[in-house]
Amino acid sequence: MSKAGDLTGIDWRLVVLDGVAFEAGATLYIGADGALHGRAPCNRWGATNRATLPTLDLGGIRWTRMACPRL
């Protein structure tokens, strides 16, 4: 298993979902301070991790509401 520090500071990208290629684009960035943010697929989102990595317990979730094309 990876150390928790190995998970931070990386732009993670969702490439497969339920065995199917995910082409719409979704990202996750985990900061060393517990802040998370990303994009999925056209709106941006953010949250705080209330647990110790590698466990996730998201709180304070926020997102934009941009007009997005239908996928």
Side-chain angles (χ1 to χ4, degrees):
M1 176 178 268
S2 296
K3 294 180 184 177
D6 294 343
L7 302 173
T8 62
I10 299 169
D11 284 311
W12 297 93
R13 300 193 187 285
L14 179 61
V15 294
V16 175
L17 182 62
D18 292 332
V20 177
F22 188 79
E23 310 246 345
T27 64
L28 165 66
Y29 180 88
I30 304 171
D33 62 353
L36 294 94
H37 61 84
R39 188 176 184 136
C42 77
N43 282 292
R44 297 189 182 278
W45 65 273
T48 302
N49 186 21
R50 300 177 294 199
T52 301
L53 290 172
T55 302
L56 293 177
D57 179 18
L58 303 185
I61 301 170
R62 57 211 174 276
W63 59 91
T64 60
R65 294 186 67 188
M66 298 169 21
C68 304
R70 285 193 160 245
L71 301 173

